Structures are given as C-alpha cells and as structure tokens.
C-alpha cells in the first residue's frame, strides 16, 4: 500500500501507484472520489517507484525490447488540497519511429469511508463521475486532460480514456491530467506551511546519520498529516483511515510536538473546545463538557447510520484537553489563551467529576450508551482489550488505570491555572482533589504480588490483575508514589512485558496474550513514548535511554525509516526486524510525534544529570 496526502485529500494506492482493488482509492472528507484509477501501458514494466515526499510519487515505466529500452514513461503524481495532478512524459529512446496507445480507466463509487473498509454497503445511482447523496449534497470528480483523449468509452461511474501517439526517434511528448474532487465541505482555511518552513520549526539534530534520518522522516510525516480547518491546523491521526479530527490522538500528538508546533496545539484546542459536548445524547455518547472522539463528514455519518458525525465515545480526551492546555501554557506563557478557554477547561473538569463518575467513587469510568459506537472507550479500544487474569472480559462500567492518572494530572493543571488567576481557594481545592485521588488510586489499583497496577476496575470494582503497558502512562502522569516506582519499572522491563522493541500491551503469559493482536500483546511506539516520559519524570534515566534506543532501532529496521503504528510482540531476535502488524497505519501521527518528543526528553535528561547514553542517542543538539 502506498499512501499520498496533502491537507484534506489523500490517496491509497497499490505498490504500482494505481487504484486497482479493495480499499484503494482517492479520498476526501471521508468519501472515496475515485475507486478505480489504472493506466494501461501495454508491454511496459515498472522500473522505478519513488515517493520523495508524502504528497508526491515519481515513477519510470519502460518498454524494453531485447537489451534496450524502446519507449520510457516518466510519471509524476502530485496531491493537492481538493485533488491532484499528473504529468506523463513519453520518450522514444529508440532509433525507429514508434506508435503507442495508452489508456486510463477512472471510476468513482463515492463510497463512505466505512464502506470502503468493508463495514457497510450502500447502493448508489451515479451520474458518470457525479453523485447526489440522500441528504441532497452533491459530489463530483472532475478530470481534465491536455491533450484530450482521442477516445472516451463510458463505464458505470466513469470511463476509459485513450490516447495514441506517433513518436519520431528521440521525440518526447507530454500528457497532463488534473483531478478535482468537488465537496460540499470546501474549507475556507489558510494554506498549510511548506515542508521547508515546517522542517525549520524543529531545529533538532542528532549526531548519528541513521538517527537523523529517522528524525527527518518523522518531521516530514507530521507535516504531511496536517490538515487545515477554520479553527487552525490539525493533525490527522493516520493514513489511510484517520484523516479527520480525532480527540485523543490529536491531543497526544500536539503534546509531544510542543514547543515546536504551538500553532497546531492552538488549532487542536480551539477546534475541540468548539465542539465540546453540550447536551445528553446517548446515540453520540455526548454529555456536557465532554471532548469529542472523532468527527466524520461521510454519508453514513451525516445520515445517522453511524454515530461518527460528532462522536464522543472516549473517556480520556477530556482530561487530556486540560493537560495539553497546561503544557502549551508552560511552554508559551500565553495566559490570555488559557483565559479564553476557561469556560471549556472548567466544563471539562465538571464532566470529569460528574458524568464521568456516576457512582461518585472518585474514579473516571466509561459505559457505552450505544451499540453502534465503541464498546471500549480508552486508548486500547478493541472489544477484547479489557480482561481479567482468567481471560474473561471485564463487564459493566470500567475504570481503566491510565485515565485515573490523566485525571490526577488534569486536576493538578487546574490548580496551576487557578493559582495563576489568583483564585487561591479554587487552586487548593483542585490540588486537594488530586492528592485524594492519588491516595485512593494506589489503595484500589496497586497489586503488590505483581508489582504493578491493575489494568482497571470492572463494574463490580474487581481489579483486572494482569500485566499491561498501561501503568507506563501512570508514571507519565505522576500519580505513582515514589516508593513503589522502582518496583513498577522493574515489572515494565521484565521479560514478560519488554520485547526488546518496546513494552508489550499485554504481558506474555497472560491468557489473552497474542503477539499479533491489536492490543493484547503488540508493541505500540506512542505507548512506549509516554512510558519514557514517565521514566524521565521519576529519574530512571538509564531505563529511559534503553527504551528510546529500542524505538529508534525499531524505526531504523523499517524500509521507510518510520515508527509503525504497532508491531508484533515477539521477542527481539538479533539481526532480524520485528514482525509487522498487517494493518498498521503509515504514517501515524503520535508515532511520528514520539520521535521529536524523545528528543525533548533527552534534553531534559541532559539538563538534570550527565548520563552515558546508549547507541547513538546521547549526543543530541536541541536549539
């Protein structure tokens, strides 16, 4: 799979750079505008396919006869917001004249993203490359050519376009094509920063050339994943399925990009504040003060067949909203922005202490209100990710451990806000709430026999006594008492949890452990990055560098030098790359952001104490 993207428009192409089958296509606003896009170049074979940037593809196709090329075709494909353009340069490199016929098949199905993934099916009546949806919105794919084709054969939802060229020896001809995806949601938004400008925002350098290549790829991917909204810049969670506003993913991505992308942080917070929950709506899992999980513009969402037009099914985005605002403020000193968002962070805090804690036991819980949404509403959102030691799935309203850490962190952020606003009484009240939660959490979640925290409490308040990566987030939040932190760190780096590429989501030996499950044994880089932040916070610098080394080596093992969304949890074998997870997003925002976040953490280690680093990571220049 080859993904290309610019702003709100992206393509999922085959390895040949075409749209041939399955979920491949050209997409915009959660809709597939081209479901077939194939060049017929009879007798040609692909010699070179190169994506120098995530918005661009360059190829060389060759017709070879005997030992020599007869005709070569250089293909350039460039994504733009709202469409793309192509340029084909055909060159007769032989000594004799050549006649050449090429054709393009282009078809649209205007499928909703969830249809393209195979989750739904809708019958549509198309008018060529145009479509009017049941809610009256009209969508169209416009293709223009220079020179125009000599023949056009109509197909359902498109056509086959044919060109014939007579090429004299050494002659070149050019074919230009432009595609435009007309959407009812055309944004009136500012342009994205150029790639060069974006790179200059991150004045980060690593001494090792290999580590520097990982860093540069991550920064490039973070620019590629941006899209522009009226509220500001926003990072897409990942390609191909998450090019839309996401709560949890965007909040953590923006947090890890601080302080180099503060305008992205402002865009994320402003957008999420605008769509903060205002009413009780069970279908959307909406309650007042809650921060959204995701927003979709596709037909199924717009017509209410799925709840994702404005979906609130997440328990962690709301405390993370407060945490990100505090991180931004500490980096920028922009108290005016904190004041502007005060109604929103106060509403978020009110949600945490009311709707998120219906039994008032002090813990944030989730209990889905709709069968069409997510059954599990923490970051490990697979249906089978919350289990007990015997493998049975947790039932009822679940309080996952890491969210209690987020709440503790958010309460302390609130105290800091009120202190800066001169409201001492409020500051003391939120600090007291934070410390009460800290003590209660340790009492109810700590598992001394396992030297870790329970993954969560089920609806009967029974702890899920299993080894997971979740407690790494607890170190990041600061909720772990100093006296037990060494035991927890020892557990996280035990053979059951640490694979050599990172900490597994579920410990080897647990009933549901599967090294190639989504959340029950795989290794997620962003998950490990938050653990690394926690290790630095508690002073475990050698362990932090060890985990950083694992992630950098993981990126270096990949052909594209990217941290994948996740990899299999098999133990690391000397000289072998990790086993890939087959449906991993590439690129993925919080994994790319994890790379720049780790450099910030290395800088923090440098400031706190001289440590002999591992591998090539120690010498890093943060300007």
């Amino acid at each position: 799979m080859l993904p290309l993207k610019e702003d709100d428009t992206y393509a999922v192409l085959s390895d040949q750079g075409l749209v041939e089958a399955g979920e491949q296509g050209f997409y915009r606003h959660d809709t597939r505008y081209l479901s077939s896009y194939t060049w017929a170049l009879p007798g040609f074979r692909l010699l070179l396919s190169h994506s120098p940037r995530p918005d661009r593809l360059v190829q060389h196709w060759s017709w070879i006869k005997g030992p020599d090329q007869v005709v070569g075709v250089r293909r350039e494909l460039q994504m733009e917001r709202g469409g793309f353009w192509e340029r084909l340069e055909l060159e007769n490199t032989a000594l004799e004249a050549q006649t050449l016929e090429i054709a393009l098949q282009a078809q649209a199905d205007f499928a909703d993203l969830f249809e393209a993934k195979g989750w739904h099916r809708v019958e549509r009546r198309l008018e060529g490359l145009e479509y009017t949806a049941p809610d009256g919105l009209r969508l169209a794919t416009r293709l223009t050519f220079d020179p125009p084709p000599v023949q056009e054969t109509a197909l359902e939802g498109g056509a086959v376009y044919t060109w014939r060229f007579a090429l004299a020896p050494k002659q070149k001809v050019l074919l230009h094509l432009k595609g435009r995806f007309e959407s009812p949601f055309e944004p009136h938004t500012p342009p994205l920063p150029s790639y060069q400008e974006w790179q200059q925002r991150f004045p980060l350098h690593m001494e090792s050339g290999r580590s520097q290549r990982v860093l540069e790829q991550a920064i490039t991917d973070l620019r590629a994943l941006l899209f522009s909204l009226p509220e500001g810049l926003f990072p897409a969670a990942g390609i191909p399925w998450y090019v839309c506003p996401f709560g949890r993913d965007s909040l953590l991505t923006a947090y890890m990009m601080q302080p180099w992308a503060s305008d992205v942080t402002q865009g994320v917070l402003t957008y999420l504040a605008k769509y903060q929950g205002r009413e009780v709506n069970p279908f959307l899992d909406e309650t007042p003060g809650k921060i959204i999980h995701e927003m979709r513009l596709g037909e199924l969402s717009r017509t209410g067949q799925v709840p994702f037009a404005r979906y609130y099914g997440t328990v962690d985005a709301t405390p993370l909203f407060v945490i990100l605002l505090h991180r931004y403020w500490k980096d920028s000193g922009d108290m005016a922005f904190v004041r502007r968002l005060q109604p929103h962070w106060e509403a978020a805090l009110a949600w945490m202490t009311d709707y998120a804690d219906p039994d008032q036991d002090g813990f944030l819980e989730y209990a889905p209100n709709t069968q069409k949404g997510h059954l599990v509403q923490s970051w490990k959102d697979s249906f089978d990710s919350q289990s007990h030691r015997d493998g049975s799935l947790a039932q009822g309203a679940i309080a996952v451990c890491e969210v209690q850490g987020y709440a503790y962190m958010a309460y302390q952020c609130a105290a800091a806000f009120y202190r800066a606003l001169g409201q001492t009484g409020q500051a003391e009240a939120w600090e007291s709430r934070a410390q009460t939660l800290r003590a209660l959490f340790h009492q109810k979640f700590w598992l001394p026999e396992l030297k870790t925290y329970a993954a969560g409490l089920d609806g009967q308040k029974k702890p899920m006594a299993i080894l997971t990566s979740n407690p790494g987030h607890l170190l990041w939040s600061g909720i772990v008492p100093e006296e037990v932190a060494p035991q927890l760190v020892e557990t996280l780096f035990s053979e059951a949890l640490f694979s050599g590429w990172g900490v597994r989501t579920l410990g080897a030996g647990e009933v549901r452990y599967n090294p190639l499950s989504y959340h029950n044994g795989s290794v997620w880089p962003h998950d490990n990055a938050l653990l690394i932040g926690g290790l630095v916070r508690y002073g475990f610098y050698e362990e932090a560098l060890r985990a950083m080394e694992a992630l950098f080596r993981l990126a270096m093992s990949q052909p594209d030098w990217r941290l994948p969304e996740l990899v299999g949890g098999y133990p690391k074998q000397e000289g072998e790359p990790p086993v890939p997870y087959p449906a991993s997003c590439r690129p993925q925002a919080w994994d790319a952001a994890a790379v720049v976040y780790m450099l910030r953490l290395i800088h923090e280690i440098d400031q706190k104490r001289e440590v002999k680093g591992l591998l090539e990571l120690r010498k890093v220049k943060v300007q």
Side-chain angles (χ1 to χ4, degrees):
M1 181 183 74
L2 172 65
L4 298 175
K5 176 184 174 296
E6 176 60 6
D7 207 317
D8 60 13
T9 308
Y10 66 98
V12 182
L13 307 177
S14 69
D15 292 339
Q16 300 285 300
L18 308 172
V19 176
E20 299 177 286
E23 59 209 23
Q24 296 167 14
F26 285 81
Y27 292 84
R28 190 182 190 199
H29 298 155
D30 303 307
T31 300
R32 182 162 62 184
Y33 277 78
L34 281 172
S35 53
S36 175
Y37 189 84
T38 58
W39 285 101
L41 301 168
F44 284 76
R45 62 179 178 177
L46 180 61
L47 298 185
L48 170 71
S49 187
H50 175 54
S51 181
R53 233 169 49 182
D55 62 343
R56 182 172 172 79
L57 175 66
V58 177
Q59 293 184 323
H60 186 92
W61 293 78
S62 183
W63 172 21
I64 295 178
K65 190 174 182 180
D68 301 320
Q69 175 178 270
V70 178
V71 177
V73 177
R74 175 181 169 84
R75 179 192 181 203
E76 298 176 63
L77 171 62
Q78 178 72 47
M79 300 301 297
E80 299 177 325
R81 178 162 76 179
F84 68 99
W85 60 260
E86 271 208 76
R87 179 180 183 270
L88 271 63
E89 179 184 276
L90 297 85
E91 180 183 12
N92 179 4
T93 58
L95 299 177
E96 300 82 23
Q98 304 293 332
T99 301
L100 186 66
E101 179 175 294
I102 66 173
L104 170 69
Q105 177 177 313
Q107 292 174 275
D109 62 359
F110 297 101
D112 185 284
L113 183 83
F114 294 113
E115 289 178 79
K117 292 176 74 171
W119 294 358
H120 295 266
R121 182 173 176 81
V122 176
E123 296 294 333
R124 291 182 175 83
R125 174 175 289 183
L126 307 183
E127 304 166 33
L129 289 169
E130 299 184 32
Y131 170 61
T132 302
D135 55 0
L137 298 185
R138 190 162 182 81
L139 302 88
T141 298
R142 308 290 184 195
L143 299 176
T144 55
F145 309 99
D146 181 21
V150 297
Q151 182 178 329
E152 182 175 329
T153 305
L155 298 174
E156 182 180 358
V160 175
Y161 307 93
T162 303
W163 293 262
R164 297 185 184 93
F165 299 101
L167 299 175
K170 310 303 182 182
Q171 182 184 1
K172 295 180 182 179
V173 297
L174 296 178
L175 170 58
H176 294 272
L177 180 158
K178 189 169 183 63
R180 179 70 191 168
F181 306 135
E182 295 181 0
S183 167
F185 306 105
E186 293 288 351
H188 298 284
T189 56
L192 298 179
S194 69
Y195 275 86
Q196 181 180 6
E197 176 192 343
W198 181 256
Q199 288 278 355
Q200 291 170 350
R201 294 182 179 204
F202 296 83
L204 303 171
H205 304 281
M206 303 201 74
E207 191 166 271
S208 158
R210 298 174 75 228
S211 298
Q212 181 66 17
R213 185 167 179 181
V214 170
L215 172 63
E216 290 174 357
Q217 184 64 59
I219 294 172
T220 296
D221 286 342
L222 288 169
R223 161 57 181 82
L225 287 163
L226 290 180
F227 57 97
S228 185
L229 296 168
E231 295 75 24
L233 300 182
F234 207 99
I239 300 174
W241 307 125
Y242 304 108
V243 183
C244 70
F246 262 76
R248 174 195 310 125
D249 297 58
S250 65
L251 289 161
L252 286 174
T253 297
Y255 183 97
M256 290 192 281
M257 283 198 291
Q258 279 292 130
W260 303 290
S262 289
D263 55 343
V264 176
T265 297
Q266 285 184 315
V268 167
L269 290 169
T270 301
Y271 181 90
L272 296 179
K274 179 178 179 179
Y275 292 100
Q276 190 172 26
R278 296 181 180 180
E279 61 184 16
V280 176
N281 186 326
F283 179 68
L284 301 176
D285 270 322
E286 178 183 7
T287 44
K290 197 174 185 182
I291 298 298
I292 64 163
H293 176 59
E294 67 182 287
M295 291 186 68
R296 299 283 189 176
L297 297 173
E299 179 181 325
L300 294 175
S301 296
R302 298 196 315 267
T303 57
Q305 297 178 65
V306 295
F308 301 119
R310 195 180 77 252
Y311 181 58
Y312 294 84
T314 177
V315 69
D316 49 18
T318 307
L320 289 172
F321 176 87
V322 180
I323 291 167
L324 176 59
L325 178 60
H326 181 265
R327 176 78 272 173
Y328 166 80
W329 170 52
K330 297 302 288 185
D331 286 336
S332 68
D334 186 359
M335 195 62 199
F337 191 66
V338 175
R339 288 193 183 94
R340 180 152 70 88
L341 292 189
Q342 186 169 354
H344 299 282
W345 56 260
E346 287 184 329
L349 293 166
W351 177 84
M352 292 165 61
T353 58
D354 185 359
Y355 290 100
D357 186 14
D359 59 4
Q360 292 296 294
D361 66 347
F363 299 131
L364 275 63
E365 305 162 354
Y366 68 82
N369 294 312
T370 171
Q371 293 185 350
K372 291 192 174 183
H374 295 312
L375 296 177
V376 175
Q377 299 190 349
S378 56
W379 89 260
K380 293 178 181 176
D381 55 7
S382 300
F383 79 96
D384 61 349
S385 66
Q386 307 299 319
S387 64
H388 288 286
R389 183 175 291 177
D390 64 0
S392 62
L393 295 181
Q395 303 295 323
I398 297 174
V400 291
C401 73
E402 73 273 15
V403 173
Q404 315 317 314
Y406 302 163
Y408 168 77
M409 202 173 181
Y411 296 159
Q412 288 201 310
C413 294
F417 290 155
Y418 282 118
R419 203 171 291 118
L421 292 169
Q423 297 178 243
T424 307
Q426 284 277 47
E428 291 177 351
W430 284 103
E431 183 61 43
S432 175
R433 182 181 284 273
Q435 298 310 319
T436 298
L437 173 58
R438 192 176 199 236
L440 182 64
F441 173 77
H442 186 71
Q443 176 188 343
K444 299 293 186 182
F445 280 74
W446 180 247
L447 304 171
E449 70 281 6
L450 295 180
K451 297 180 181 178
T452 191
Y453 286 94
L457 305 181
D458 68 10
Q460 302 301 313
K461 308 303 178 184
K462 180 182 177 182
M464 290 180 263
I466 52 177
L467 297 179
T468 69
S469 63
N470 303 56
H473 296 224
L474 299 174
L475 291 169
W476 178 70
S477 72
I479 199 173
V480 178
E482 295 281 349
E483 60 269 21
V484 302
Q487 298 177 60
L488 177 57
V489 171
E490 179 184 352
T491 300
L492 289 166
F493 282 90
S494 66
E495 187 175 340
L497 279 172
F498 192 72
S499 75
W501 298 112
V503 175
R504 299 180 179 96
T505 46
L506 183 67
E510 300 292 349
V511 171
R512 285 192 172 270
Y513 171 71
N514 180 338
L516 278 180
S517 80
Y518 201 52
H519 290 132
N520 283 324
S522 54
V523 173
W524 288 64
H526 93 278
D527 186 27
N528 280 262
L530 292 179
L531 162 63
I532 294 167
L535 292 169
V536 173
R537 178 174 189 150
Y538 279 80
F540 294 97
Y541 303 135
E542 296 289 351
E543 291 84 355
L545 288 168
R546 181 185 177 193
M548 289 183 200
E549 178 187 31
L551 290 187
F552 268 85
R553 286 197 181 278
L554 171 54
M556 292 172 188
S557 75
Q558 303 298 296
D560 56 9
W561 298 83
R562 289 177 169 123
L563 279 176
E565 181 184 15
L566 69 158
V567 294
Y570 289 104
K572 182 180 179 181
Q573 302 294 329
E574 190 63 35
E576 297 180 13
V579 177
Y581 186 81
S584 180
C585 283
R586 310 180 83 94
Q588 221 266 356
W590 56 19
D591 295 325
V595 175
V596 297
Y597 180 52
M598 285 190 288
L599 267 65
R600 176 172 182 147
L601 294 172
I602 291 173
H603 185 53
E604 288 185 20
I605 293 174
D606 284 348
Q607 289 181 320
K608 292 177 180 179
R609 177 180 135 189
E610 280 297 317
V611 178
K612 283 189 177 180
L614 305 177
L615 184 67
E616 309 129 333
L617 300 179
R618 173 64 180 81
K619 294 181 180 179
V620 56
K621 182 180 179 184
V622 182
Q623 298 176 340

